[in-house]
Amino acid sequence: MKRHDDRSWMERINPLVPISLLSPFLLYAISLLLPTFDDWTYYTVPYFGELFTYRLLPNASYWRPFDALFGSLLGLDYRLFPALNHVFVYAAHLGSTVLVYRLASMLGFNATARNVATVFFFISPAALGTVLGIDALNQAYSQFWGLLGLKAYLGGCGRRNRAAWLACVCVATLSKENGIMFFFIPPLLAYGFGRAGSGRLRRDLLYGLAASAAYFCVRLALTNSHVDVLDDYFESTLSSKLSDIGTFIGMTWIPLDYVCLVHPPSRNLWVLALTLALPMPFILTLFIRGRRLLLGRPFLALACCMCLAALPHLLTLFTTMHAYSGLAMSALIVAHLTDKYGDYRRLGVLFAMFVASCAFVDWHHWQKSYESGLMGQRMGRQAIEKTGKPVKRVYSISMRDHVRRYSSFCVIPADAYAWGNAAFAATGYKWPEECLDTGIVVEDRWMVDSLADRAVRLGYERVWFVHGDTVEVIR
């Protein structure tokens, strides 16, 4: 007689199996996304210059030698861009997903809690700013190496474990600066779950502090004369900080379709309401049913670690990409609350609604990213076709409207065109050798002729005028 299996589907299905089976298809879809806006100006574009100038050395904004090396790798064959970027970013996200699965087991959570946390991390809209990003290797690998260091730390208290933890976090920090917080996250998490006493906590926090100090000393010693400081990263008004905190909490715990909320041309209140109604019962049920756990040491440790992971971004600038920084810790919070839930059949229904909604939101963000990338490619080719023949110097005038863009998902045409970078790429990075861009708003359209005439006097061979999704050669 066939035995009835009364386990919930969340326990029976190992999430790593369907994730692995779907990965080739997901990676193919992601590889279709084309660069826009900041994707064109960061280290992870094809770089054809001298590597050991300033790119491998720290400057005032960041020190990310792995990204610099990656750009030089793309410079060997520009046709690898941006597909190779997508492969590496997705590989890091997949690796972090496996680490969340393993960490949930190491912390003693049951199979259902472990599986739910793994899916939560993999599918959460908070991951999209990184997973769909072309310039997101730093964020993806900072998370991956930080989690790998956490796994090494939880694996034992010997010298090898400590050395592996510190080494992994050094790599995480050189991937992106927020990785430095993993010098402090593992001791706090281990203490919160009773895996370390107060003595080990104090000792290892001192190790983390010493390693952080060593990093800053080396960074200061190596900082070169090329200094880039972006004012946006140091805006510290009350409204900006409240906005950053709201983005952090919202992207993590309210997984609605932000395209339909933030981007005016795409605003759809029906879709917004549906994507709020479907996932939130799962989130709210976990926190309401687990409210007695919220003051326990494990939960407080996880909450503290989640905030620590995102703290560097909250102190500087917090965007959709940065929501990824605290996502692994929030997934472990989900595991902790699920572990004590009990009624898994009811929770399974709520979790299925959560997954369905997140899958739609993920697809919608992918669609908007795809359309934005195609627009930039089309505008770049349009500029080259209308120019007709190779020229060395081009002056570009980009007119911006007042429609609000939404991160890298929904960009305005001028940002998709990216100051002429899309046109440069359309020629296989051969010409123009110089493209200077001036941005204006629609109210200043009267300036176009004077700017174009001035560009001709300065020796520019062509003047491109970008308005809407059209590029014209006006001189």
Side-chain angles (χ1 to χ4, degrees):
M1 188 174 181
K2 188 174 181 179
R3 180 179 177 272
H4 176 67
D5 191 346
D6 60 354
R7 297 177 299 166
S8 71
W9 66 272
M10 297 182 296
E11 181 181 358
R12 293 196 306 270
I13 300 175
N14 184 327
L16 297 181
V17 174
I19 287 173
S20 299
L21 293 175
L22 288 172
S23 284
F25 305 99
L26 296 175
L27 182 57
Y28 171 74
I30 293 172
S31 70
L32 299 177
L33 302 181
L34 298 171
T36 63
F37 197 51
D38 287 347
D39 295 333
W40 289 110
T41 58
Y42 184 56
Y43 282 175
T44 50
V45 297
Y47 179 69
F48 309 100
E50 174 59 46
L51 178 62
F52 292 97
T53 51
Y54 73 91
R55 292 170 65 89
L56 286 180
L57 299 176
N59 59 55
S61 293
Y62 44 71
W63 181 19
R64 300 169 191 170
F66 300 120
D67 286 354
L69 290 170
F70 191 85
S72 294
L73 173 64
L74 293 174
L76 301 177
D77 188 347
Y78 69 86
R79 293 169 297 183
L80 296 172
F81 177 75
L84 193 63
N85 301 57
H86 288 304
V87 169
F88 272 71
V89 170
Y90 186 79
H93 181 59
L94 198 60
S96 294
T97 301
V98 174
L99 285 170
V100 168
Y101 180 90
R102 291 287 300 119
L103 288 167
S105 295
M106 294 176 74
L107 291 173
F109 300 131
N110 62 39
T112 299
R114 175 199 64 200
N115 295 346
V116 167
T118 303
V119 175
F120 177 92
F121 176 82
F122 182 77
I123 203 172
S124 171
L128 296 177
T130 293
V131 177
L132 301 185
I134 290 170
D135 63 345
L137 275 81
N138 49 71
Q139 194 72 56
Y141 281 95
S142 178
Q143 177 88 278
F144 172 77
W145 285 103
L147 293 178
L148 195 61
L150 174 58
K151 180 178 178 296
Y153 186 92
L154 294 177
C157 56
R159 292 182 179 179
R160 290 185 179 181
N161 296 86
R162 184 184 297 119
W165 157 51
L166 295 174
C168 286
V169 179
C170 284
V171 178
T173 306
L174 291 175
S175 296
K176 192 168 188 175
E177 292 73 15
N178 62 290
I180 201 169
M181 303 313 293
F182 278 94
F183 282 127
F184 310 102
I185 288 172
L188 290 171
L189 195 60
Y191 177 75
F193 280 82
R195 304 286 293 271
S198 57
R200 186 188 177 193
L201 172 66
R202 289 192 296 269
R203 182 179 67 250
D204 288 343
L205 285 177
L206 287 175
Y207 275 112
L209 188 62
S212 302
Y215 164 78
F216 282 112
C217 288
V218 172
R219 178 166 175 162
L220 288 172
L222 295 179
T223 297
N224 55 34
S225 58
H226 184 95
V227 176
D228 288 325
V229 179
L230 299 177
D231 292 338
D232 290 347
Y233 280 84
F234 298 98
E235 184 183 2
S236 58
T237 63
L238 178 60
S239 61
S240 69
K241 293 300 114 181
L242 290 176
S243 175
D244 289 345
I245 293 171
T247 301
F248 174 44
I249 296 173
M251 293 294 296
T252 304
W253 297 116
I254 311 175
L256 52 79
D257 191 346
Y258 287 93
V259 167
C260 296
L261 174 66
V262 177
H263 189 234
S266 305
R267 190 160 291 152
N268 187 320
L269 297 181
W270 290 107
V271 174
L272 185 66
L274 183 62
T275 57
L276 178 63
L278 283 175
M280 288 312 295
F282 169 72
I283 300 294
L284 292 174
T285 298
L286 281 184
F287 278 89
I288 293 172
R289 284 285 296 270
R291 59 189 179 277
R292 293 183 178 179
L293 301 173
L294 303 185
L295 295 179
R297 199 165 81 175
F299 178 88
L300 293 176
L302 285 168
C304 179
C305 291
M306 183 184 77
C307 294
L308 279 176
L311 184 61
H313 300 310
L314 292 171
L315 292 176
T316 53
L317 177 69
F318 200 96
T319 67
T320 55
M321 177 190 288
H322 302 139
Y324 194 72
S325 57
L327 186 58
M329 294 300 111
S330 63
L332 293 177
I333 288 176
V334 168
H336 179 55
L337 297 177
T338 303
D339 185 69
K340 309 299 183 184
Y341 188 84
D343 185 4
Y344 290 136
R345 290 195 175 276
R346 179 178 174 231
L347 188 66
V349 174
L350 300 181
F351 187 57
M353 293 164 54
F354 173 88
V355 171
S357 180
C358 288
F360 171 81
V361 172
D362 292 352
W363 167 81
H364 196 199
H365 281 67
W366 173 90
Q367 180 196 34
K368 289 299 182 180
S369 297
Y370 180 66
E371 291 173 355
S372 294
L374 283 182
M375 177 170 58
Q377 183 188 67
R378 185 170 59 251
M379 293 172 69
R381 289 175 175 175
Q382 185 182 114
I384 297 305
E385 290 170 0
K386 290 183 177 180
T387 302
K389 64 178 182 179
V391 294
K392 290 185 177 181
R393 303 182 73 209
V394 170
Y395 191 90
S396 175
I397 304 170
S398 299
M399 187 171 69
R400 304 172 64 90
D401 56 31
H402 297 295
V403 175
R404 180 180 180 181
R405 71 180 180 89
Y406 170 41
S407 188
S408 61
F409 310 114
C410 306
V411 301
I412 63 175
D415 287 345
Y417 175 71
W419 317 284
N421 283 285
F424 184 42
T427 68
Y429 298 92
K430 294 182 174 62
W431 62 273
E433 295 176 11
E434 179 186 350
C435 182
L436 180 65
D437 181 89
T438 295
I440 62 172
V441 293
V442 290
E443 291 84 357
D444 294 333
R445 183 164 184 155
W446 60 271
M447 299 174 57
V448 172
D449 285 335
S450 60
L451 287 171
D453 292 340
R454 180 174 177 272
V456 172
R457 290 196 300 270
L458 291 174
Y460 288 94
E461 300 167 74
R462 295 288 187 277
V463 178
W464 293 336
F465 177 44
V466 183
H467 57 99
D469 60 355
T470 300
V471 183
E472 295 180 3
V473 179
I474 60 173
R475 294 290 188 277

